[in-house]
Amino acid sequence: SNDIPGWYQRRVRGLSMDSAIGFVGGDYVVFITDSTQARSILKLESDVDKILQVDSHKMFSLSGDCGDRENFANYIQKNIHLYHYRTGLTLSTKAAAHFARGELAQALRQRTYEANVLLAGYDKDEGPSLYYLDYLGSMHKMPFAVQGYASNLTLSIFDRYYHPGMSLEEGMFLAKQCIEQLKRRFLINQPDFVVKIVDKDGVRTLPSLTV
Amino acid sequence: MARYDRAIIVFSPDGHLFQVEYALEAVNKGTTAIGIRGKEIIVLGVEKKSAAKLQDPRTIKKIVMLDDHICLAFAGLTADGRVLINRARIECQSYKLTVEDSASVEYMARWIGMRQQKYTQSGGVRPYGISTLIVGFDMDGTPRLFQTDPTGIYSEWVANAIGRNSKTVKEFFEKRYPGIRRVKDEDAPPDEENVEMQLSDFDDEATIKLAIRALLEVVESSKNIEIAYLKKDQPLKFMEKEEIATIVASIESEKKKDE
């Protein structure tokens, strides 16, 4: 609409209703993402899994436009698989993140992939790592990251209480604090969260959280 | 026929496409590759050319994975094989991206066959100088083995050989593949005396043994044999040199006993 300035419209494209939280613990990375898919005032689905397993030890947490994020993540996943069949090697998390960022930056010159993703991976030598990628092609390696409006509400909790090398129990306790704040303060009702972890044994699903 | 063997797109007066036939000759110069379809296993074998002393043998790959569940072995011009395999790998992922299911073995064989045929009917290109054996398991667990060649034909086989001495190996298979009657009499029943082995007894071990026996017929030395096998939902597995040597030893002792 005309009364909203262009800079705000562009800023808001980067923010979405999906809440995607990720953080790095001692030897794991956990993703907690909401499982709601809404359109206008309707909740279309409440059991969406927005975490895509890329390969044995990597996963994407997706947020943004529901078509673009699926498309983008699947495209990156298939290219990472192709690399594996061509070379017999597995890409490191860092390399995968750089590749994904490159694709986002490339696409930006023609259109935008309205996809903001978090990439988590476990490498034998590096250990766990988390990368934040947004639709404009930014990429940051971070100890914890949040996508969507939820970032406004939960990053401060991580700032205050996160410390490197947390055990899984400590980490999940912190995550529960975050989603409880979301329940209190976020306008959108997101009761269910999918939880996945990646560690030396690969990607697996943990019991989902409900507030 | 000198005038009809230059450009690929020109038929000769008696209906030959000479370039394609010459490509088949190139394939027959390449090292042997064999494939056998067992009950729940597929075995691929290649004749390894003795590597030059200074060369690292691990970098010569003639059996490759196209996808989790599809593998390929080829005979002929190695560089052509590399190019075709690269495109096939991309197609496997592209299919998955579009359709969300893995491509079936038949689909990939048809795709590779179609691609090889395209290069027999285009200007300015020459055919791929390779025949391939494409193996894998379908979603329902059925093992499959397909062969393609420079003409673009693809067809399904229970056992096949391509490259040098492929004729010898194919004749070997016609005698030894389980269930196939040894005796020339078509009306004779495939009973115990007539066949090498019943299909029901053709387990993993027997399939691998048959592959090694087949290659032993044509290789210079048993050290030049490379065997890989594929089972459902498992990655391609290459056999260790020691494992192959053990089986070779038991085959040779059996041969001595027969004599």
Side-chain angles (χ1 to χ4, degrees), chain B residues 21-35:
Chain B
E21 291 178 15
Y22 296 160
L24 282 157
E25 290 297 316
V27 170
N28 286 331
K29 289 207 157 49
T31 52
T32 322
I34 65 162

Side-chain angles (χ1 to χ4, degrees), chain A residues 13-104:
Chain A
R13 282 179 95 181
L15 285 171
S16 65
M17 304 299 183
D18 316 292
S19 310
I21 301 170
F23 59 89
V24 180
D27 56 357
Y28 63 86
V29 189
V30 163
F31 275 160
I32 300 134
T33 49
D34 77 287
S35 42
T36 305
Q37 183 56 43
R39 180 61 63 90
S40 173
I41 57 165
L42 279 180
K43 205 194 255 197
L44 295 177
E45 282 179 281
S46 48
D47 56 358
V48 187
D49 183 359
K50 297 179 195 168
I51 304 178
L52 182 71
Q53 177 170 1
V54 171
D55 70 13
S56 63
H57 286 76
K58 286 190 215 16
M59 54 182 186
F60 265 129
S61 167
L62 315 173
S63 79
D65 175 73
C66 57
D68 281 353
R69 69 176 185 226
E70 275 286 319
N71 213 349
F72 174 71
N74 273 302
Y75 173 71
I76 301 297
Q77 182 201 47
K78 298 304 186 271
N79 269 284
I80 290 178
H81 287 180
L82 184 63
Y83 180 89
H84 169 70
Y85 290 115
R86 270 188 175 149
T87 62
L89 304 167
T90 318
L91 267 179
S92 65
T93 313
K94 176 176 172 189
H98 277 83
F99 169 64
R101 185 217 93 80
E103 291 297 313
L104 281 165

Side-chain angles (χ1 to χ4, degrees), chain B residues 195-215:
Chain B
V195 296
E196 173 78 5
M197 186 191 299
Q198 295 296 344
L199 253 174
S200 47
D201 297 326
F202 199 44
D203 59 5
D204 293 357
E205 227 186 280
T207 320
I208 295 176
K209 201 167 185 187
L210 187 64
I212 297 180
R213 272 176 88 181
L215 274 175

